[in-house]
Amino acid sequence: MEKRMLRWCFENGLRLYFILRIICSSCCLLCFVKAQSRIPTETVQLWASEFGGELNSIVTKYSGSLLLQKKYKDVEPFIRIEEVDGVELVMQFGEKMKEMLGRKVEAVKRLVDAAEEADLYHKYDMNFEFDYYNSVLINERDENGNYVELGNEFILEVNEHFNNLPVNTSLSNIQVPTNVYNKDPDILNGAYWSEALNAVFSENFMKDPTLTWQYFGSSTGFFRLYPGIKWMPDGNGVISFDCRNRGWYIQAATSPKDIIILFDISGSMKGLRMTIAKHTINTILDTLGENDFVNIIAYSDYIHYVEPCFEGTLVQADRDNREHFKLLVDKLNAKGTGVVTKALIEAFRVLNKFNETGQGSLCNQAIMLITDGAVEDYESVFEQYNWPDCKVRVFTYLIGREVTFAEYVKWIACNNKGYYTHISTLADVQENVMEYLHVLSRPMVISHDHDIIWTEAYMDNASNELFQSAAHSLLLMTTVAMPVFSRKNETRAHGILLGVVGTDVPLKELLKLAPRYKLGVHGYAFLNTNNGYILAHPDLRPLYKDGKKIKPKPNYNSVDISEVEWEDTDEVLRTAMVNGETGSFAMNVKVPVDDGKRVLFLTNDYFYTHIDDTPFSLCIVLTRGHGESLFIGNISVEEGLHDIDQPDLTLANEWIYCVTDIDPDHRKLSQKEAVIRYLTGQEPDLECDEELLQEVLFDAVVTAPIEAYWTAIAMNISENNEDGIEMAFLGTRAGLMRSYPFIGKEKSSNKKFFTTQDKHSIFTMDHFPLWYRRAAEHPPGHFVYSIAFEEDMGKKNRSKMITASTAVSVTVSKRMAIAAAVGVQINLSLMRQKFWMATQQSNDTDCSNIEGTCPISCDDDALNCFLIDNNGFILISKKEEETGKFLGEVDGSVMTQLLNMGLFTEVKLYDYQAMCKGATNHHSGSQPMLSPFHTILAALKWFLSNLFIFFVEFNFCGLWNGESLVNAKTVFHFGHKHRKVEAFQPCNTEYPAFVYDHTIKEANGFIECGDCQKWP
């Protein structure tokens, strides 16, 4: 008996696919299936055609796509399409960013001048008394209702510019760590003279209202923050934040440095000494940044590098390497006799080699000696390798309470321009380690080199404590900082560092200067540092979800360009941007969307330039074809104003049509309200993007008729809404959105759609809506379908909605541009009903030559039918719980057959920012993928998966009963499964996506598997 797989692609512009599968799980059903085991090809084709035609008719009707396409067609004679000049655009954006960042630098310079001037005229007094505003104690009262000491009344008001936090924009206040006495004479004197910064803080904010937090971190430990804010201690009542530990402070206080840490692991270092020594090393590592280079050598009877791979060299002190060193140091044990001579010689040899070859920081060099004593002064070693110039400073840390050998340890530091410190307890570590920073800063202080430093992207721990549940978008920032020196004549020769001043620059404020509407549907802008790390990128994912908690990833600020733009395998783009070049580069890319479930194939042009006077480079990315074409249509304000002021119309609130965050009176305005006020003359002082306003006015006029169309449709919908359309919507290239609900909001199956709760469905700073992006890659009139999941009460529920969308284009002089996308949301249950009705043989079917049940239907128990989208995800299945799943998870053998027939193609994608449970800690971003053990496991997994498919295809599945087969046949896993352990760790993952070959309209095949028969 002939048996075949049947598979049909719905025509009429649809991108849906019909798969028929016959399954029998018992002998009784087997007999039933055999009664009509050959379903005619014409029957399946008819089912696909009828359902596809009806569905296409419904979505076309309710979306109004034909009307919208006609309206844009009608205005083609009045528009022009221009090609985007990527080089000119990136230079323009880069110049704006330079100006914006330059204003931040000028603000910081004013703070430096004011701080040094105030200190110059202040006379230090050991008995000085001064009541400053302590940020923890302000507004606190005792049991008698009186303000506590240092806690006077401090007026706080909620301010939208500062993330809706209660602040005081007239005054700053001071935070002091718990381990620092808040009335220490150093604190009181510094708090007093730094009051002079209040006037400058306010003046800076008046001159540049885009400024956020401004601050002064004192070398004595206090932190003056503007605007003033109430600082909350942690659950234990502790304020752990110490400004001197922050990257911006350390980088500004010292120049880049090459450091080798010599760690004494001889037998005398056992117990508490070993614990203190390891903590000391970890603290030193925490003072290093990506501009520094480091290595660690352990010594006892012999020397060995804690990381053998780094032998004889120094490595960049980025977070990955620092954390790797910490793990290795933690595993070291004390044994043997301490012989430091060889360790010192090796350290000098490596540092001298680095200096001679022009590698490393090309600035400070130092050796950190961590030991419990020295039995000699090692003068011969220093004579040979370091004297008389002492180019390498030697800092010594004597560990433990015993000071018998302190004399030699101190001599070593003092005769090599270093610093000696004695650490006897864990509590001593922090303050003593920080001393080396003051020593390294002295040459810079004496010469008064006020170097400007910019940090990598970071999410400040202080910000986390302050902001708590505030929006995470403001937390990712960079800081510009400068050191503050004492200018007093009597202390100038000593090189006294007073502290560091700085201001934060939220990275989203920088990206606002690269307007989203100028970059096309798939375009974007990103920034990187001169070390190759991403500063801002739409695909940078700094946060991850651990249970119900949202946490920063450990390595979020050390994501390399090559880990985001991973198709650049030859690192052409990375090299050019790190070198600060200006130019362009083209690349074919695979872009994961919808959380990696789908993939877009694009050809992107990259245009890049260096931002002068900063360590940053800017790149804008434009997609070939429609992504590099913009159309311009002229319309009068009078014509457009009426159509934009409609309740069904909204604007992308993350886009900047008008600047609303400068004037406090404007901060509560939505972008739509600001645009209307500006156009009507109510707010003529608003700064608005005239080009974008012209686009949005034009789109408002062209799309206005759709509202009346949708209204007319709604009036004719029956009470039961039998077609299942719940909502129609559209979006244009100008960020304009319209929507029309065909049912009451309370009945809506997806209340998050088209709201800020579903970022994928709206225009954001980073991307166009997903339904828009996918539609843009298909011909206008061809609808693309998708189904999403919603999270409810922590449990994953199947979505009840299917989204369908199609693109709307304009063509002028054979140039095409995407003008808009339009779509509908369809109730899944009603769509299922139509599917089951369409997929059945009619009652007048000729059953004369057929034994058994006739006519037959997809709704029959013996027949399983699937409706899948062009990425292999199930839209309709007999089992509702399978809706939204990848077909390969439900039936791996059928998906394998579709791949073998060429109907689908597997695409390999990579995620270098993944978080995995049970991942091995590593110092290299690529280690998990290069590990031989990992490769063996991957190969074994592949072999077992394919072995099982072999069993399925060659009819070995009769070895299992029906239920076992259902569970065993899943050989495709979308996503990544990892062994469950306590914590997530950064990892790299490779995962598949599947794409339908649209050149194939239909195909058929057959799988026989014991009691099951499958026709894909």
Side-chain angles (χ1 to χ4, degrees), residues 781-971:
H782 286 241
F783 282 84
V784 292
Y785 294 78
S786 64
I787 189 165
F789 296 102
E790 293 184 62
E791 289 191 6
D792 181 22
M793 306 283 293
K795 295 181 179 179
K796 209 171 188 182
N797 297 330
R798 295 294 164 190
S799 173
K800 298 178 181 178
M801 298 301 301
I802 288 179
T803 302
S805 59
T806 186
V808 176
S809 65
V810 291
T811 304
V812 177
S813 301
K814 296 184 179 180
R815 282 187 178 178
M816 188 270 285
I818 300 297
V822 62
V824 293
Q825 285 223 302
I826 313 169
N827 184 288
L828 179 59
S829 60
L830 291 175
M831 185 171 169
R832 286 170 59 86
Q833 291 178 18
K834 292 185 177 296
F835 181 76
W836 302 129
M837 289 178 62
T839 54
Q840 57 184 336
Q841 290 177 328
S842 62
N843 291 328
D844 59 357
T845 301
D846 183 5
C847 300
S848 58
N849 295 323
I850 296 177
E851 297 180 7
T853 304
C854 181
I856 198 169
S857 165
C858 271
D859 199 26
D860 292 340
D861 292 338
L863 199 60
N864 268 0
C865 302
F866 295 103
L867 183 69
I868 64 173
D869 65 16
N870 61 340
N871 294 110
F873 290 96
I874 298 172
L875 299 179
I876 294 178
S877 170
K878 186 167 293 182
K879 297 178 180 179
E880 288 193 48
E881 65 271 17
E882 294 175 346
T883 302
K885 285 187 175 182
F886 177 60
L887 179 63
E889 291 185 80
V890 175
D891 195 318
S893 61
V894 172
M895 192 67 210
T896 299
Q897 186 71 4
L898 297 179
L899 286 167
N900 292 339
M901 293 192 299
L903 297 169
F904 277 84
T905 302
E906 180 179 350
V907 180
K908 290 183 179 179
L909 301 174
Y910 301 90
D911 184 1
Y912 295 98
Q913 300 177 67
M915 295 293 291
C916 306
K917 284 190 175 182
T920 303
N921 288 287
H922 56 88
H923 61 275
S924 167
S926 60
Q927 175 124 355
M929 296 181 67
L930 300 180
S931 166
F933 184 63
H934 183 273
T935 305
I936 293 170
L937 288 178
L940 180 60
K941 181 180 177 183
W942 174 87
F943 172 76
L944 293 175
S945 296
N946 283 274
L947 180 63
F948 181 80
I949 295 171
F950 172 83
F951 286 159
V952 170
E953 292 184 346
F954 286 89
N955 200 20
F956 283 85
C957 61
L959 296 173
W960 296 281
N961 61 35
E963 289 300 316
S964 300
L965 178 60
V966 173
N967 295 324
K969 66 194 172 191
T970 302
V971 294

Side-chain angles (χ1 to χ4, degrees), residues 601-626:
F601 296 90
L602 306 173
T603 299
N604 285 343
D605 285 315
Y606 295 77
F607 303 93
Y608 47 85
T609 189
H610 181 251
I611 301 175
D612 294 339
D613 303 325
T614 75
F616 307 142
S617 288
L618 167 68
C619 181
I620 64 169
V621 183
L622 303 176
T623 302
R624 289 266 177 96
H626 60 75

